[in-house]
Amino acid sequence: YYPGNYEDTTKNTIKAFISSDINLKENRRLACLIINQLLDKLNRIASKNNLEDITSVAIIPTDSWQMLNQQGYLAVLLEIGNKKIPKDKNLWSNDDAKNAILEAIDSGVKSYG
């Protein structure tokens, strides 16, 4: 995972890039489980700490990233937040939010089974 990079500082997204190969359905399922955990945890932390909320979510099938195209493996590459949001409002400057991202990914993977 990594932060997004948008000039528009009101844009705070979660994008999940997944392979569009034979595992598309299962990659999408895993992405949804992780995103649901992220939204729940990050929106609570954002409200509590006066940070920018997540404003949009997308799951994007792609074949352009080699790391996602390992047939037989599930893979989700996450872009979370926006590093251009001022530090005092940015999820990436908050330790609780950074820990929540890791917990959400872990929870999503575990709930996949």
Side-chain angles (χ1 to χ4, degrees):
Y1 67 95
Y2 61 95
N5 188 14
Y6 305 100
E7 292 300 324
D8 181 352
T9 59
T10 64
K11 189 174 191 174
N12 209 15
T13 68
I14 296 174
K15 290 183 181 178
F17 297 91
I18 61 173
S19 175
S20 60
D21 69 4
I22 58 173
N23 293 322
L24 176 64
K25 183 178 177 183
E26 292 304 308
N27 284 327
R28 182 175 285 131
R29 180 173 163 243
L30 177 58
C32 286
L33 291 169
I34 293 170
I35 288 169
N36 286 338
Q37 292 289 324
L38 284 167
L39 287 171
D40 179 52
K41 291 179 184 302
L42 292 179
N43 284 335
R44 275 192 276 130
I45 289 169
S47 294
K48 180 180 171 185
N49 294 287
N50 200 27
L51 304 172
E52 290 292 333
D53 285 330
I54 298 296
T55 55
S56 65
V57 174
I59 297 175
I60 304 164
T62 183
D63 291 326
S64 63
W65 292 4
Q66 181 64 29
M67 70 185 85
L68 295 177
N69 292 322
Q70 304 297 317
Q71 288 192 359
Y73 296 98
L74 298 180
V76 177
L77 180 63
L78 296 164
E79 181 180 282
I80 304 167
N82 180 356
K83 65 182 179 182
K84 297 272 178 102
I85 292 174
K87 189 173 182 172
D88 63 327
K89 297 282 188 182
N90 197 316
L91 292 167
W92 283 93
S93 64
N94 182 283
D95 288 338
D96 290 340
K98 288 189 275 188
N99 288 331
I101 290 169
L102 295 173
E103 290 171 9
I105 293 169
D106 184 59
S107 295
V109 170
K110 285 178 179 174
S111 66
Y112 178 82

